[in-house]
Amino acid sequence: MADTITKNSPPTGGDVTPLISLPAATARIATVAGSVLALAGTFMAWTWTSAFPGDLTVTGYPGGLQVLVLISSALTLLFALSGYGIRGLNWVAPGGPNAAARLTALGTLGTVGYTLGAIAFQLGGVVNLEPGAWVAGIGALIAVVGSLALPFDQPFPAGDPDKGGWARFRHSLTAPHPPRARALPSAVEILIIVAGFALGLIVFTYGIDTEYGELFVGFLITVAFAFTGLARAGLVSRLTALTARYRGISLAAAFAAALCFPFTQDNDYYALIGTNILIFATVALGLNVVVGLAGLLDLGYVAFLGVGAYTAALVSGSAASTIGVEFPFWAAVLTGGAVSLVFGVVIGAPTLRLRGDYLAIVTLGFGEIFRVTMNNLNGASGPDVTNGAQGISAIPDVKIFGFDLGSPHDIGGFTLGRNANYFLLMLLFTAIVVMVFNRSGSSRIGRAWVAIREDETAATAMGINGFRVKLIAFALGATLAGLAGTVQAHVAYSVTPDQYEFAGTAPPNSAFLLAAVILGGMGTVSGPLIGGALLYLIPAKLDFMDDYQLLLFGLALILLMRFRPEGIVANKRAQLQFHENDQLDLPEQRLSDTAVDTTKAGA
């Protein structure tokens, strides 16, 4: 078949010359052949010994990292074939197949290269590689070269002053906005939403279930490139449009998928990771009220999580509690939230008259004051309230309506352990926090927060009481963190001051919480949840890189700020702000078409 421009391609009017000079037909054949070769290599042995994790010695059955290479190469093959205009494959890449093929091909090469390097490093040289590894590696390299020789989906602007190779390479990985999606029956669109969240559950479950660090690193490489490829193909934006159209159904599907997670786990430890992810992500969503909506840089937010946790530990009947009272769980939750609210108002009232860096420094000081105070309330340096550095231990398990979350329970043939029970409890709290965030963000006070964030002087001139609005945001964020802290205290059995530092080797701490909001996308609902999940899961899975975690974390933030400053889930306003220059990168033909359409509309 001839390599032609499909109906999904944008109008011409700029430079479409690829990065590597090859005939278009040859480039596409190379991409297809390379991806097929890489896929075939996954069914061959990659090493002769099972000493490398995953047992890559089997021929005819992929295992471990080979499965990830198989998935990535299959996606590359699918996108490459869709460029032929084959009937029935147009839906694969409505925004253009070539950028998606490049990204998935790079992901295949990255996963293969990482695996080959890990085998050589752990086993003592490339001599330990079997032919299957070389076949997959050569195939992935051919696919990358072929994909780089494919024409641009979106013509490179002819008048762009930056015509360097790096600019052209970045442009080759972009795609135009996908065309308006064809209307489908409502039932079909709802099924697509359900399938999307089901796929998300499968990917998340696979990531948590990875049994060794090498597999998790390969998982991160594959998912990063595959997700970006699907986004460039236009599939993610179409799914996003459907979720916006069916907002209620989408939220129900999301929480239904999360509800199914503990039923997919045989190991209760993975359910514990899921529970801690929910706690961390929920606190990040509360911080998003302060930072994302109101624009207040709070560097001591983890202290409010500690306030809720310590309050719950003191009033839940712990043997180490110095108060000696035992509230039912619902009362302990309300007490923890109320005390956090009071602390939010007390701290916010004198400090929120500051702006910018001064506010950040003061909130950072509050976080450290809280930790030092909890450490000194030990009966020697101060009153005996928190037992100092030893903290409050032996916090009893939650009992709700006679249902003990500390004991395993059988539900529908599935046995849910202690951690799975707490996962379901924390999921309820997450749903409450999401509802509060949605309601407050779309309310009158939420619009006032956004106005303050964008320009406080202008908002004040329009009659908005800036101090009162910021104090409400600060108090609400503190309350949400306190609610999550009450659950955290029961999950961990104990609370200690060192759990609430500004920066540490693992979350939750203020630095990681702020990074989760920025990474996920400020001002969005799903952004902090995704960012929190990533920033908790990665340190939990990469224990063997303890000495380099903060270094890698810093490098990841630098790359994120360079290539996607708006975060993984972009707020539309932030996306336009960070990429305002990109709005001018439209082909001349498209601009003329727009002018003609405008003239017709005016007529």
Side-chain angles (χ1 to χ4, degrees):
M1 297 182 184
D3 190 275
T4 58
I5 298 178
T6 65
K7 64 180 181 179
N8 290 328
S9 301
T12 59
D15 183 9
V16 296
T17 305
L19 296 171
I20 299 177
S21 297
L22 282 177
T26 304
R28 197 166 299 280
I29 290 174
T31 307
V32 171
S35 57
V36 170
L37 195 61
L39 192 150
T42 62
F43 291 90
M44 304 168 64
W46 284 20
T47 184
W48 61 274
T49 174
S50 59
F52 186 81
D55 193 8
L56 307 183
T57 64
V58 181
T59 297
Y61 185 82
L65 287 160
Q66 291 172 322
V67 175
L68 299 175
V69 175
L70 185 150
I71 294 172
S72 188
S73 58
L75 283 174
T76 306
L77 177 62
L78 187 62
F79 287 131
L81 290 176
S82 68
Y84 279 114
I86 300 175
R87 184 177 179 83
L89 286 182
N90 290 336
W91 62 271
V92 173
N98 296 341
R102 288 187 195 97
L103 284 161
T104 51
L106 288 170
T108 304
L109 182 62
T111 307
V112 172
Y114 168 76
T115 306
L116 269 57
I119 292 174
F121 177 78
Q122 291 192 20
L123 302 184
V126 296
V127 69
N128 295 281
L129 298 175
E130 290 291 301
W134 296 111
V135 170
I138 293 172
L141 184 60
I142 293 174
V144 169
V145 173
S147 66
L148 292 177
L150 294 173
F152 293 162
D153 288 314
Q154 176 177 338
F156 192 78
D160 196 322
D162 187 3
K163 297 182 179 180
W166 176 244
R168 294 180 63 83
F169 177 72
R170 286 191 62 192
H171 184 82
S172 72
L173 301 181
T174 63
H177 293 291
R180 185 182 297 274
R182 185 179 64 180
L184 297 173
S186 298
V188 176
E189 292 181 339
I190 292 174
L191 286 177
I192 292 175
I193 293 173
V194 173
F197 283 107
L199 179 61
L201 174 63
I202 293 172
V203 172
F204 179 74
T205 302
Y206 185 90
I208 280 191
D209 289 348
T210 50
E211 298 178 352
Y212 48 95
E214 293 82 358
L215 181 60
F216 184 72
V217 172
F219 167 79
L220 290 179
I221 296 173
T222 302
V223 169
F225 280 96
F227 178 80
T228 310
L230 293 173
R232 295 308 183 198
L235 296 177
V236 174
S237 60
R238 286 199 170 182
L239 180 61
T240 303
L242 290 179
T243 56
R245 187 181 308 168
Y246 301 96
R247 194 175 188 85
I249 294 176
S250 300
L251 287 175
F255 282 102
L259 189 66
C260 293
F261 169 74
F263 296 95
T264 65
Q265 301 301 305
D266 296 329
N267 190 338
D268 203 39
Y269 171 71
Y270 295 145
L272 175 61
I273 294 178
T275 304
N276 288 324
I277 286 175
L278 279 182
I279 294 173
F280 183 56
T282 303
V283 178
L285 187 59
L287 178 60
N288 198 26
V289 174
V290 181
V291 176
L293 293 182
L296 305 173
L297 184 56
D298 187 351
L299 298 182
Y301 187 75
V302 73
F304 297 119
L305 175 69
V307 170
Y310 265 100
T311 302
L314 288 171
V315 302
S316 294
S318 168
S321 173
T322 57
I323 296 180
V325 298
E326 183 174 359
F327 289 177
F329 177 67
W330 64 267
V333 168
L334 294 179
T335 304
V339 174
S340 298
L341 171 64
V342 171
F343 268 83
V345 173
V346 170
I347 299 301
T351 61
L352 289 179
R353 300 186 186 277
L354 302 173
R355 297 187 187 182
D357 297 339
Y358 299 101
L359 176 63
I361 293 172
V362 171
T363 55
L364 174 62
F366 163 65
E368 289 302 298
I369 289 172
F370 169 78
R371 183 180 61 82
V372 173
T373 302
M374 295 300 102
N375 202 31
N376 289 337
L377 295 180
N378 55 6
S381 302
D384 187 10
V385 179
T386 64
N387 297 325
Q390 296 181 355
I392 302 174
S393 58
I395 301 173
D397 282 309
V398 174
K399 294 182 181 180
I400 303 177
F401 303 115
F403 190 84
D404 188 358
L405 299 188
S407 302
H409 296 86
D410 293 328
I411 299 178
F414 295 90
T415 300
L416 298 182
R418 175 182 184 272
N419 296 323
N421 294 333
Y422 277 104
F423 178 89
L424 297 177
L425 175 64
M426 193 60 218
L427 184 62
L428 174 63
F429 278 78
T430 303
I432 294 173
V433 173
V434 168
M435 182 186 68
V436 171
F437 183 90
N438 273 330
R439 295 289 186 179
S440 59
S442 59
S443 66
R444 175 180 168 185
I445 191 68
R447 293 191 293 272
W449 287 336
V450 174
I452 290 292
R453 181 191 68 193
E454 296 300 321
D455 192 330
E456 183 173 351
T457 303
T460 304
M462 295 301 294
I464 296 177
N465 188 331
F467 174 75
R468 182 176 65 86
V469 167
K470 291 190 292 184
L471 185 60
I472 292 175
F474 211 75
L476 178 60
T479 304
L480 298 180
L483 294 177
T486 59
V487 180
Q488 185 206 31
H490 290 86
V491 171
Y493 281 128
S494 64
V495 290
T496 55
D498 57 4
Q499 294 177 352
Y500 309 104
E501 300 176 341
F502 167 72
T505 57
N509 55 62
S510 292
F512 272 77
L513 287 170
L514 184 61
V517 175
I518 298 174
L519 171 66
M522 293 190 296
T524 63
V525 177
S526 56
L529 298 178
I530 296 175
L534 287 175
L535 289 184
Y536 189 92
L537 185 60
I538 291 175
K541 285 295 183 179
L542 299 183
D543 291 337
F544 68 98
M545 301 184 71
D546 278 341
D547 296 335
Y548 304 98
Q549 278 186 10
L550 290 179
L551 173 63
L552 296 176
F553 173 67
L555 291 176
L557 283 182
I558 292 173
L559 293 174
L560 176 71
M561 293 297 100
R562 176 63 180 84
F563 297 106
R564 195 172 177 84
E566 69 272 22
I568 296 176
V569 181
N571 177 276
K572 294 301 181 182
R573 184 189 299 269
Q575 193 171 28
L576 292 174
Q577 177 183 356
F578 285 116
H579 299 281
E580 58 181 348
N581 293 331
D582 297 344
Q583 308 305 313
L584 302 178
D585 294 343
L586 294 174
E588 296 177 1
Q589 180 65 38
R590 180 174 292 184
L591 290 174
S592 62
D593 292 344
T594 304
V596 171
D597 292 341
T598 305
T599 304
K600 291 180 179 178

